[in-house]
Amino acid sequence: MFRNIRFQNTALYKINLNGSLFHNATATNVRIMGTGKGMELTGCYFENVIFDNCSLEGAMFSESYFYNCSFRNVNLSGARFSGYFENILDFTDVQLHGSHISIYTDQDSYERLRQDRNFGNKIKFVRAKEKSDLEISRESYKKNALRRSNMEE
């Protein structure tokens, strides 16, 4: 298990993270290419992260915050997502068979993802009753992910 690990300004090529557990990790300005079948990421913060040509079958991203991230040519079959997506840039050629994605998101990402041919109605977006609720959720996910990742330095 990796706790409070930080990846910053790096590229992880041909990495094998199959079955890995990440808790309160932070990744900023990172490009990831490799496998992570069955890996679990809980309470993580991702900013400017590109998942490119990855196999993340059965991966679980729970209570995580994604800002300005892209998923390109990624196998997410059977993956589970919960958390917050903000300014998601790209979901090109993503395989989602059997995935469960339940997320809060900003309106721009919502529209972008809804129009993507990979998604259609496959995502359950958690909609806030009022915009202020969505902002509270965004700040809460972001703050909690950053706070948890900075707990043990």
Side-chain angles (χ1 to χ4, degrees):
M1 175 187 279
F2 299 98
R3 283 189 170 279
N4 305 313
I5 193 167
R6 293 182 193 186
F7 297 100
Q8 188 170 4
N9 303 321
T10 192
L12 304 171
Y13 292 105
K14 297 183 180 181
I15 191 161
N16 182 338
L17 297 171
N18 292 342
S20 297
L21 304 174
F22 290 87
H23 193 68
N24 302 331
T26 302
T28 309
N29 300 318
V30 176
R31 184 173 184 177
I32 301 170
M33 297 176 73
T35 63
K37 295 178 182 179
M39 74 175 176
E40 296 181 21
L41 299 103
T42 304
C44 297
Y45 178 85
F46 300 93
E47 182 175 341
N48 299 321
V49 175
I50 299 170
F51 295 89
D52 199 3
N53 294 307
C54 294
S55 180
L56 303 175
E57 294 174 69
M60 184 172 69
F61 298 83
S62 64
E63 298 180 22
S64 294
Y65 180 84
F66 296 84
Y67 175 75
N68 215 31
C69 295
S70 295
F71 293 80
R72 295 186 213 139
N73 193 29
V74 177
N75 184 348
L76 290 170
S77 298
R80 301 181 73 75
F81 281 86
S82 70
Y84 197 99
F85 280 12
E86 183 174 7
N87 196 34
I88 296 300
L89 300 177
D90 195 356
F91 255 91
T92 302
D93 295 325
V94 173
Q95 298 169 36
L96 292 167
H97 179 72
S99 295
H100 177 79
I101 302 174
S102 180
I103 56 171
Y104 281 94
T105 187
D106 62 286
Q107 190 63 33
D108 289 341
S109 294
Y110 171 78
E111 293 300 330
R112 198 175 300 119
L113 294 172
R114 292 282 297 173
Q115 292 173 14
D116 191 294
R117 65 182 170 80
N118 291 308
F119 283 104
N121 294 316
K122 296 177 184 174
I123 300 177
K124 175 187 173 194
F125 290 95
V126 180
R127 296 206 187 166
K129 293 178 183 172
E130 298 178 16
K131 186 171 181 161
S132 62
D133 292 339
L134 187 61
E135 288 299 312
I136 289 168
S137 296
R138 180 181 68 80
E139 286 304 315
S140 175
Y141 273 106
K142 183 177 180 180
K143 198 180 309 180
N144 286 336
L146 285 172
R147 180 184 53 81
R148 287 188 299 254
S149 68
N150 288 319
M151 283 174 57
E152 294 178 20
E153 295 193 25

